[in-house]
């Protein structure tokens, strides 16, 4: 499987999760505002995983996307020593596949999940029910997307490195 195949699979997983969440949202009556708000937040997070992870880049050729993704990847990779160690052993084609498999995941963990977990801890400590509610949804959605990507990597034996959250 080459890097574009990996990229396509992760895009499809992400789009499917967005569609599944939107279908759940569409099935909730408009008068159930609290449930709809929760699903709107959740769906927004799945979409953010695709957009911020640079998986959804409409109108661009996927190969061109890798010029941008490579810049983000090279900044974040040193923060994940197990991944850096594997990456350093690969040839150029394998490095592209590794980046396709891991760039969005590592970016979401570093740039999004870590911050949300910190904010959630602060909100819980302060007894801030509104922010705790929203942040739990955000954290849950990001973790769900990361889990879906990890499951796919593992099932397809695509650099299935496990990450334990601290």
């Amino acid at each position: 499987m080459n890097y574009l195949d990996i990229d396509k699979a992760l895009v499809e997983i992400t789009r499917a999760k967005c569609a599944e969440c939107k279908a759940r949202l569409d099935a909730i009556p408009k008068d159930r505002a609290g449930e709809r708000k929760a699903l709107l937040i959740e769906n927004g997070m799945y979409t953010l995983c695709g957009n911020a992870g640079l998986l959804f880049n409409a109108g661009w050729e996927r190969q061109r996307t890798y010029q941008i993704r490579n810049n983000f990847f090279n900044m974040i990779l040193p923060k994940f020593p197990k991944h850096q160690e594997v990456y350093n052993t690969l040839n150029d084609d394998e490095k592209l596949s590794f980046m396709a498999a891991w760039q969005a995941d590592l970016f979401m963990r570093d740039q999004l999940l870590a911050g949300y977990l910190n904010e959630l801890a602060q909100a819980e400590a302060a007894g801030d029910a509104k922010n705790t509610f929203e942040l739990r949804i955000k954290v849950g959605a990001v973790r769900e997307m990361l889990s879906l990507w990890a499951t796919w990597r593992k099932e397809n034996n695509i650099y299935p490195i496990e990450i334990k959250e601290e």
Side-chain angles (χ1 to χ4, degrees):
M1 195 175 290
N2 72 26
Y3 78 99
L4 291 172
D5 296 328
I6 294 167
D7 181 82
K8 182 179 178 186
L10 294 177
V11 169
E12 288 174 4
I13 290 165
T14 308
R15 288 193 193 283
K17 191 63 183 177
C18 290
E20 177 266 327
C21 189
K22 180 152 181 2
R24 285 188 290 134
L25 176 63
D26 291 345
I28 302 290
K30 303 262 189 248
D31 63 337
R32 291 169 46 190
E35 288 177 68
R36 291 185 59 76
K37 180 179 180 180
L39 284 171
L40 282 167
I41 293 168
E42 182 180 351
N43 191 51
M45 294 312 301
Y46 295 139
T47 302
L48 182 61
C49 286
N51 288 332
L54 299 175
L55 294 171
F56 300 165
N57 294 302
W60 289 24
E61 288 187 29
R62 297 309 293 174
Q63 294 91 333
R64 190 166 163 231
T65 301
Y66 277 80
Q67 296 167 354
I68 295 168
R69 290 181 79 181
N70 190 50
N71 293 336
F72 287 113
F73 190 66
N74 287 328
M75 289 185 320
I76 292 168
L77 188 59
K79 297 178 182 184
F80 297 88
K82 287 192 290 187
H83 294 75
Q84 179 79 61
E85 185 178 317
V86 171
Y87 184 79
N88 290 342
T89 68
L90 304 174
N91 68 37
D92 288 345
D93 287 339
E94 292 167 333
K95 284 180 178 179
L96 273 175
S97 292
F98 188 89
M99 183 176 58
W102 279 103
Q103 183 272 326
D105 186 297
L106 298 182
F107 187 80
M108 291 294 101
R109 288 177 191 280
D110 183 64
Q111 298 295 305
L112 200 64
L113 185 58
Y116 283 152
L117 287 169
N118 185 44
E119 288 179 43
L120 177 58
Q122 290 176 4
E124 288 174 338
D128 184 343
K130 179 183 180 287
N131 280 331
T132 296
F133 170 77
E134 290 183 11
L135 287 162
R136 283 184 180 161
I137 294 168
K138 289 177 179 183
V139 165
V142 173
R143 282 179 169 157
E144 173 67 11
M145 188 58 64
L146 296 174
S147 176
L148 291 171
W149 293 340
T151 298
W152 180 86
R153 284 191 305 266
K154 188 173 185 176
E155 288 172 354
N156 291 277
N157 198 31
I158 308 291
Y159 308 108
I161 304 166
E162 291 194 33
I163 295 179
K164 293 186 172 119
E165 282 184 29
E166 297 173 20

